[in-house]
Amino acid sequence: MFPNHAQPLVTAPAETSVLALLLAEGPLSRVELARRTGLSSTAVTKAARPLIEDGYLHELPPERTAPGAGRPVNPLAVTADREYFAGVKISADALFGTVCDLRAGLRTTAERRLGADRGPAAVLALLHGLVDEILDSAPEFRERTRHLGIAVSGDVDRAAGRVRYSVLPGWQDVPVAEPVARATGLRVTVENDVKALTVTEHWFGEGIGTEYFALVTIGAGIGSGLVVGGQLVAGAYGVAGELGHLSIDPAGPRCHCGQTGCVEAIASSDAIRDSVRRATGAPELDFDGAVQLARGGDPAARAAFARAGQAIGTGIAILVNLLGPERVVVTGEGLDTYDLFGLHIREAYAANCFKAAAKCPLTLRPLPWEEWARGAAVLGIQALFP
Ligand SMILES: [Zn+2]
């Protein structure tokens, strides 16, 4: 978060537990909240009071579960429109913006294509314009938005608000949070896009209630976000979850990272395209052309996708053997060609999982770009917590 002195909304552990549970699960009675958090009813009531007074929670009308079931209960609910959160995903050729409410519901979206200049100054100027556009789309957005989350692929130093490395040209150790906070007047959090998406799925999606959870993205890049003990793993050097750079084939192709036989060097969309180019002797072939060949039954193209699927499935199995997640969500634009390698992913996954680890289900979750922008906005919701 930047500026770093900004105060979270909840600080006491009891308030934190109550708000987090209501955000994830929707309305609950005080009795149910007490049961689920392990707090006393008195502690729940005390924790909820300041959040009700500040307008973040409200009481629903009383509901009586059954005739003669005793005193009616007023479930507590999050007031979704109490505060809004802006999010922007920076991709290689566009910016995707959104405003979400407190329950991570999408309220508006907008998009800006990047121009020829993709350096930091030009992109951040476009980003500022996009944030103005989404916040001006409704008066309450401008009034009740304090946080902006920015999600970008690459190596991000969240605490310092800097992008250390990204595929965008000239993005090497670029301060982002500080200049954007100055330009927009918002509190700004910058995070790696896969990590932001992992938190969003953990809090509001497939990962709700799990202590151990992983999200894997496939496509142009291959990466993962890990949740251990209910917390996103950042890693001491900021590279936890580099699934794409697990070296799984010593005789495999050279990776752009310098290693040999990385999952990404075999299974990224560029790697699949290169493999089909080599096999078919068509140096001009693009990825869509490779997909068409494979769907048309070309054996070399089908073999390239099969090998990619084996690499991805093996990589996910290694992750599952190490981490033991309750479930893994697989997402990313690579799902568009799941028909070509899905079977191979599943076979390699099953073959390489160690015993009970194979119980961990793989959930496919196609996520359009709005979801990546939503992941950026959720960084602001996360910043309400200590
Ligand atoms: Zn690599």
Side-chain angles (χ1 to χ4, degrees):
M1 164 118 83
F2 197 94
N4 292 317
H5 54 76
Q7 287 296 310
L9 172 67
V10 286
T11 46
E15 290 176 23
T16 304
S17 317
V18 166
L19 183 60
L21 197 56
L22 290 170
L23 276 178
E25 307 220 353
L28 292 169
S29 70
R30 286 178 175 81
V31 172
E32 186 63 11
L33 279 165
R35 192 181 69 76
R36 299 282 299 277
T37 58
L39 295 164
S40 68
S41 300
T42 316
V44 168
T45 299
K46 188 164 168 251
R49 192 176 300 127
L51 292 168
I52 295 172
E53 284 168 2
D54 285 347
Y56 284 87
L57 300 181
H58 62 277
E59 288 190 341
L60 293 176
E63 59 182 36
R64 204 185 281 273
T65 45
R71 210 152 57 92
V73 294
N74 298 72
L76 284 173
V78 169
T79 310
D81 58 3
R82 169 61 180 82
E83 185 170 345
Y84 296 103
F85 302 85
V88 175
K89 148 87 173 166
I90 302 177
S91 82
D93 51 11
L95 302 177
F96 301 110
T98 184
V99 174
C100 284
D101 62 33
L102 190 52
R103 291 211 62 205
L106 282 174
R107 293 302 187 98
T108 189
T109 58
E111 179 181 346
R112 291 275 160 99
R113 307 310 295 180
L114 298 184
D117 182 355
R118 296 180 180 188
V123 172
L124 293 184
L126 278 178
L127 185 146
H128 186 192
L130 177 65
V131 170
D132 270 344
E133 182 188 329
I134 54 178
L135 291 184
D136 286 338
S137 63
E140 63 269 30
F141 295 162
R142 182 63 82 178
E143 260 164 43
R144 282 180 250 152
T145 302
R146 296 185 297 153
H147 285 94
L148 166 65
I150 299 174
V152 57
S153 69
D155 182 0
V156 177
D157 184 344
R158 176 176 177 155
R162 300 172 85 89
V163 175
R164 284 189 292 234
Y165 169 78
S166 147
V167 290
L168 287 164
W171 285 68
Q172 300 253 352
D173 198 29
V174 178
V176 172
E178 197 272 331
V180 175
R182 210 171 341 106
T184 60
L186 299 168
R187 294 174 189 170
V188 178
T189 310
V190 189
E191 179 60 286
N192 167 273
D193 56 354
V194 177
K195 289 197 172 86
L197 197 57
T198 303
V199 169
T200 305
E201 280 295 305
H202 184 231
W203 284 29
F204 298 103
E206 295 288 335
I208 287 178
T210 57
E211 286 285 301
Y212 296 86
F213 171 70
L215 176 135
V216 170
T217 59
I218 59 176
I222 290 169
S224 71
L226 311 176
V227 170
V228 173
Q231 297 290 321
L232 179 76
V233 177
Y237 305 104
V239 292
E242 281 295 345
L243 178 72
H245 299 285
L246 284 177
S247 178
I248 56 163
D249 181 2
R254 189 93 172 153
C255 182
H256 62 83
C257 76
Q259 297 181 158
T260 298
C262 292
V263 174
E264 191 163 300
I266 300 167
S268 72
S269 34
D270 279 0
I272 295 171
R273 176 205 63 200
D274 289 349
S275 170
V276 179
R277 278 180 179 176
R278 280 192 303 273
T280 58
E284 302 294 313
L285 191 77
D286 61 9
F287 181 69
D288 289 340
V291 171
Q292 277 176 20
L293 277 179
R295 290 200 175 126
D298 180 273
R302 293 191 73 79
F305 277 96
R307 191 172 177 222
Q310 286 154 8
I312 293 167
T314 304
I316 298 174
I318 293 171
L319 183 155
V320 166
N321 290 347
L322 284 174
L323 182 69
E326 286 165 61
R327 83 177 48 127
V328 175
V329 167
V330 183
T331 187
E333 73 277 10
L335 287 185
D336 295 346
T337 51
Y338 197 77
D339 58 310
L340 295 173
F341 57 29
L343 177 68
H344 306 281
I345 292 177
R346 290 191 179 278
E347 281 180 358
Y349 176 67
N352 291 285
C353 272
F354 178 72
K355 301 191 188 293
K359 282 194 229 165
C360 169
L362 303 184
T363 307
L364 304 183
R365 186 112 153 79
L367 295 174
W369 64 261
E370 290 93 339
E371 292 293 326
W372 291 85
R374 180 171 173 253
V378 167
L379 293 168
I381 301 177
Q382 202 187 13
L384 298 175
F385 293 82

